[in-house]
Amino acid sequence: MLDLTGYTDRLSARPGETIAFKLSSVGPDPITARLVRVISADPNPDGPGLIEHDLSDVFSTTVPSRQQHHAVGSYGAAPSPPLPDGPITLTALVWPTRPSERQAILTLTGEADVLSLGTGPNGAEVVLRIGGKETVLATGAPLAERHWVRLWSVLDPAAGTLSVGQHSLAGPMQANAITANAPLAGTPALGHQVLIAARSIAPL
């Protein structure tokens, strides 16, 4: 973790518009921010080097240090659409680069319950969390690295079943569809959020 990190909420602005600077500092000292015009930021030793014009007279401020916690990594989050009364299907077309690691691809969340499709050391897997109890169901067929594969999971409350499957579109598993099924231990209460590339987004 860096002692001081930050970013802006936009990459450019017209005169009169506002740019917000988001800062996080683990140090005890205040943070001083000032405006500079960067003429050159070339790190090449044979180049012109760093050349800045100080514009502190236009903008300069000092604020207390404050550590801002965040969830590491990139993900997408959106409100859940209305869910059907019948079966719920999650599906995704992926190109695994680390197929032996557990990774969430597509997740439906509730206030406490989770249905998550992803990958793991035993192939395509679905994680179902109802209350504090978690069930993991996998196909048992490890995914080929860097080959397109379609993953899917179906939760069917009426039939009382949970299933997960995979179908490789190239490589050694071409044209083979593999599915695993298990009985449902209960029906999750979903419909809060849809997450992409995350199983939860609670701050660290």
Side-chain angles (χ1 to χ4, degrees):
M1 178 181 293
L2 298 176
D3 291 340
L4 178 64
T5 57
Y7 65 92
T8 62
D9 66 341
R10 56 194 300 180
L11 297 179
S12 63
R14 293 185 174 93
E17 294 181 337
T18 300
I19 297 179
F21 291 81
K22 311 295 184 177
L23 302 175
S24 176
S25 171
V26 298
D29 299 326
I31 302 167
T32 298
R34 61 186 176 90
L35 182 66
V36 299
R37 176 179 286 118
V38 179
I39 306 302
S40 171
D42 187 359
N44 188 339
D46 298 327
L50 179 63
I51 302 174
E52 295 179 344
H53 289 177
D54 186 9
L55 298 176
S56 297
D57 57 325
V58 177
F59 173 81
S60 179
T61 187
T62 299
V63 295
S65 285
R66 178 182 173 187
Q67 185 175 0
Q68 304 279 20
H69 295 280
H70 64 285
V72 177
S74 300
Y75 63 89
S80 175
L83 299 179
D85 295 330
I88 297 174
T89 300
L90 303 180
T91 183
L93 183 64
V94 300
W95 194 68
T97 56
R98 296 182 178 180
S100 62
E101 297 181 9
R102 292 191 70 193
Q103 299 187 59
I105 304 297
L106 190 59
T107 302
L108 284 177
T109 72
E111 293 299 327
D113 299 345
V114 169
L115 175 67
S116 182
L117 173 66
T119 62
N122 297 312
E125 68 175 32
V126 60
V127 175
L128 177 62
R129 186 181 306 138
I130 302 176
K133 184 177 180 181
E134 185 172 282
T135 300
V136 179
L137 176 65
T139 61
L143 300 173
E145 184 176 340
R146 300 177 189 273
H147 288 291
W148 287 105
V149 60
R150 184 172 298 282
L151 315 177
W152 69 87
S153 176
V154 180
L155 184 148
D156 190 338
T161 58
L162 177 68
S163 64
V164 65
Q166 66 191 59
H167 178 203
S168 179
L169 306 184
M173 295 171 58
Q174 188 172 8
N176 289 333
I178 303 172
T179 305
N181 301 280
L184 275 178
T187 302
L190 304 172
H192 177 58
Q193 274 190 322
V194 176
L195 305 178
I196 301 172
R199 189 163 289 125
S200 67
I201 53 174
L204 297 179

